[in-house]
Amino acid sequence: MMNYPPLRGIIFDLDGVLSDSEPFIKRAAMQMFREGYHLEVKPEDFVPFFGAGEDRFIGGVAEKYGVKLTMPRDKTRVYDIYLEIIQGQMKALPGAAAYVRRSRERGLKLAVATSADRRKMVGNLRQIGIEQSAFDVIVTGDEVEKKKPDPEIFLLAAEKLGLAPAECLVVEDAISGVKAGQAAGSRVLAVATTFPAEELRKYHPDYLAKNLAEAPEIT
């Protein structure tokens, strides 16, 4: 493990780290393909594109089936369906709200860095009952050019927090996010909510936990 300076901030991914949103976004995208292209795609088609933002999430599946998407129309439709089906259904992942609260009580600076667009971020936080004001900084996918595994989003979040990336812990569930956190120069806590722990372990995160309820307190 690298010799990091004392921890001063935590940068949370949102989907699959704080919110149990993956099943819903898959359902919404599958419905969009059904409606718009009369195509039945499979839930597992989306797995390679977790964490990369919705453009790539639906775009990667479209490429697999030889479909040319009409953007941003198709993404807008996915979000329309998604924001409807999560109403009263989507929950915070185990330990997420308590981990955010404890981190705030410890005096750490907090950020959300999500590859999703702002519209989805607002809907997610509202549904899981975590206020945007719980975070000092929120960075969304529409603010960055390069998506994970590129480190741009985490570098921007650290900059907005006023911290060096090495002073931050990145919390991620996706392989692309683990790689992005490492490329940013941050320590990484991987949570096995989307990918199995044995799969995440191959990418050597600094810490690995089942979810935030079982995550260590890192200093």
Side-chain angles (χ1 to χ4, degrees):
M1 193 179 295
M2 283 180 61
N3 187 22
Y4 291 102
L7 186 70
R8 295 183 60 201
I10 301 182
I11 304 173
F12 296 92
D13 179 35
L14 179 54
D15 297 297
V17 169
L18 301 178
S19 59
D20 188 17
S21 51
E22 307 292 12
F24 298 102
I25 196 67
K26 282 192 287 190
R27 275 174 52 196
M30 288 168 71
Q31 186 175 327
M32 182 279 292
F33 278 111
R34 197 177 299 121
E35 288 177 0
Y37 298 96
H38 309 290
L39 182 65
E40 290 292 336
V41 304
K42 303 181 182 75
E44 57 268 27
D45 291 334
F46 298 96
V47 172
F49 311 109
F50 281 143
E54 268 66 54
D55 291 66
R56 187 68 189 134
F57 187 74
I58 60 174
V61 174
E63 286 169 15
K64 177 179 177 178
Y65 288 91
V67 167
K68 184 167 175 53
L69 295 176
T70 301
M71 297 292 265
R73 182 200 71 183
D74 291 338
K75 182 170 70 169
T76 298
R77 180 59 184 147
V78 170
Y79 281 153
D80 288 344
I81 298 164
Y82 173 82
L83 292 170
E84 187 177 323
I85 63 177
I86 65 172
Q87 295 299 317
Q89 299 299 315
M90 192 170 71
K91 306 280 190 267
L93 282 159
Y99 196 92
V100 170
R101 187 176 62 251
R102 284 199 313 275
S103 299
R104 172 64 75 199
E105 289 166 355
R106 291 174 59 196
L108 297 170
K109 292 185 175 183
L110 305 182
V112 165
T114 173
S115 297
D117 289 7
R118 180 159 290 271
R119 186 180 177 209
K120 185 184 181 194
M121 176 277 296
V122 170
N124 281 7
L125 289 180
R126 184 181 295 127
Q127 284 300 307
I128 66 176
I130 299 178
E131 298 288 337
Q132 291 184 51
S133 59
F135 304 96
D136 301 288
V137 164
I138 293 177
V139 182
T140 56
D142 28 19
E143 295 176 64
V144 295
E145 215 172 285
K146 298 172 186 168
K147 300 298 195 290
K148 305 168 191 173
D150 190 276
E152 182 183 357
I153 196 165
F154 293 134
L155 293 172
L156 180 58
E159 182 185 332
K160 287 190 170 191
L161 287 172
L163 300 176
E167 296 177 303
C168 298
L169 171 72
V170 164
V171 188
E172 263 289 351
D173 67 304
I175 291 164
S176 61
V178 170
K179 289 179 175 179
Q182 291 169 332
S186 300
R187 67 197 89 178
V188 176
L189 164 61
V191 289
T193 50
T194 303
F195 290 87
E198 57 269 24
E199 186 68 20
L200 291 168
R201 195 172 283 114
K202 294 175 188 175
Y203 298 89
H204 310 292
D206 299 277
Y207 311 93
L208 180 60
K210 182 179 176 184
N211 49 45
L212 285 174
E214 299 186 16
E217 192 159 287
I218 296 156
T219 57

